[in-house]
Amino acid sequence: MSSPGSPLHVAIVGATGAVGIELMKVLERRNFPVGRLTLLASARSAGKSLEYQGEKVPVQELGEGSFAGVDVALFSAGASISRKYAPLAVQAGAGVVDNSSAFRMDENVPLVIPEINGEDVRRNRGIIANPNCTTAITLMGLWPLHRAFGVTRLVAASYQAVSGTGAQAIEELRKQVEALAAGQEPSWTVYPHQIAFNVLPHVDAFLDSGYTKEEMKMQNEGRRIMHHPSLLASVTCVRVPVYRAHSVAVNAQFERPVSVDAARDVLAKAPGLRLVDNPARNEYPLPLRVAGKDDCEIGRLRIDCALENGLAFWISGDQLLKGAALNAVQIAELI
């Protein structure tokens, strides 16, 4: 690893995917000290070029020798790729930030949201995990409330954009909308049902419990990120026909009494979060408004009428940014 402040050799694994493209944009926008950029992807993408700082950068095929001289490797190509190649990157001397689920529950790998547990990067052994996108967005609102009132449990329902699945899902929704507008029958391959003008209560694979893997991430990852091993979370994850930005409806119970005014005071001071909560003027977080923005937005704050010391809220965030690329680059900045 180079000394702090010196130009770094940065590699992006999965560079041609939706998150890979966002990683390049975030690195450029935040003036990350990139001295050399290596773009890595599958064989079918090798030979393409992507633009970074006004120059064309060729995409190379990912291989075991791809990380020679790399200082920071940002992985966003799926868990199986990360399991195989992230240790090789570490062996080559790179610090790895992994966006997949491969290492999130590994006790030896910090799982980090910089605004919450940035100090955890100090105990990394070469790999730091980026959390699940829905978890990251939810915890941006839950964490400041937890610090003030002590969260014990939450019930949540997500409203997840198709870009969370990837570029093919974005294209599938677009084609379905066009087909239906033209009076034609839509087709689908990415999702098990039509997504246009529909909602699917199905994100990730189902477990024997009836929950999906995605739904359990809120509890499992939330416990690690917040250092809160007793946190309880019951979540229903839903895919909605939105191109970009996830939203989550949360009902949270706390150890100590909470009021709307006290919650607003806490949330208004939280980094990476904007309080948008004026229902009388129809002002509340919207995925259309947060798409492309770094900060998450939180609103619809109200006392939960079914829980003791309960608060309900609605939060929206760009899952390609705070839920993926932005958070990964923030971690790299801490490294």
Side-chain angles (χ1 to χ4, degrees), residues 72-231:
V72 177
L74 306 174
F75 275 71
S76 187
S80 61
I81 295 295
S82 293
R83 289 190 191 99
K84 179 177 179 179
Y85 289 99
L88 297 176
V90 173
Q91 289 174 17
V96 170
V97 182
D98 182 47
N99 198 55
S100 79
S101 61
F103 304 104
R104 288 177 185 157
M105 301 311 296
D106 186 330
E107 292 183 358
N108 295 316
V109 176
L111 179 64
V112 173
I113 297 175
E115 292 89 344
I116 298 174
N117 63 328
E119 284 294 312
D120 286 359
V121 302
R122 295 180 182 274
R123 61 179 183 83
N124 85 87
R125 300 181 183 178
I127 301 175
I128 300 175
N130 215 29
N132 167 262
C133 51
T134 309
T135 299
I137 289 166
T138 304
L139 294 191
M140 287 297 291
L142 188 65
W143 170 250
L145 295 171
H146 170 58
R147 292 186 68 188
F149 310 109
V151 67
T152 57
R153 68 187 66 202
L154 62 100
V155 177
S158 70
Y159 299 71
Q160 297 183 219
V162 296
S163 52
T165 307
Q168 290 181 325
I170 298 171
E171 185 67 8
E172 181 160 289
L173 174 58
R174 186 186 66 78
K175 287 183 176 179
Q176 286 180 6
V177 170
E178 290 176 351
L180 290 163
Q184 302 168 356
E185 284 295 316
S187 61
W188 54 87
T189 57
V190 176
Y191 297 119
H193 304 281
Q194 174 185 321
I195 183 62
F197 308 106
N198 199 13
V199 297
L200 308 181
H202 178 185
V203 180
D204 211 335
F206 284 99
L207 303 169
D208 291 341
S209 63
Y211 286 90
T212 67
K213 289 182 178 179
E214 182 89 353
E215 289 163 348
M216 294 309 302
K217 290 172 184 176
M218 188 86 73
Q219 175 174 285
N220 296 337
E221 296 183 20
R223 288 176 172 180
R224 292 202 67 208
I225 295 165
M226 297 199 300
H227 299 289
H228 188 354
S230 62
L231 177 69

Side-chain angles (χ1 to χ4, degrees), residues 45-60:
S45 295
K48 295 179 180 178
S49 291
L50 299 173
E51 187 170 311
Y52 181 75
Q53 291 186 334
E55 296 183 4
K56 295 290 186 181
V57 181
V59 178
Q60 304 173 31

Side-chain angles (χ1 to χ4, degrees), residues 132-142 145 154-161 203 214-215 217-219 233-240 242 244-252 273 276 284-287 290 296-302 311-319 323:
N132 167 262
C133 51
T134 309
T135 299
I137 289 166
T138 304
L139 294 191
M140 287 297 291
L142 188 65
L145 295 171
L154 62 100
V155 177
S158 70
Y159 299 71
Q160 297 183 219
V203 180
E214 182 89 353
E215 289 163 348
K217 290 172 184 176
M218 188 86 73
Q219 175 174 285
S234 178
V235 182
T236 301
C237 288
V238 183
R239 191 72 66 186
V240 297
V242 169
R244 181 163 174 160
H246 291 353
S247 301
V248 189
V250 180
N251 300 73
L273 193 66
V276 182
Y284 30 70
L286 297 171
V290 299
C296 298
E297 293 187 357
I298 190 168
R300 289 298 319 277
L301 269 66
R302 57 207 187 275
L311 185 76
F313 63 86
W314 169 263
I315 188 165
S316 296
D318 189 322
Q319 90 292 344

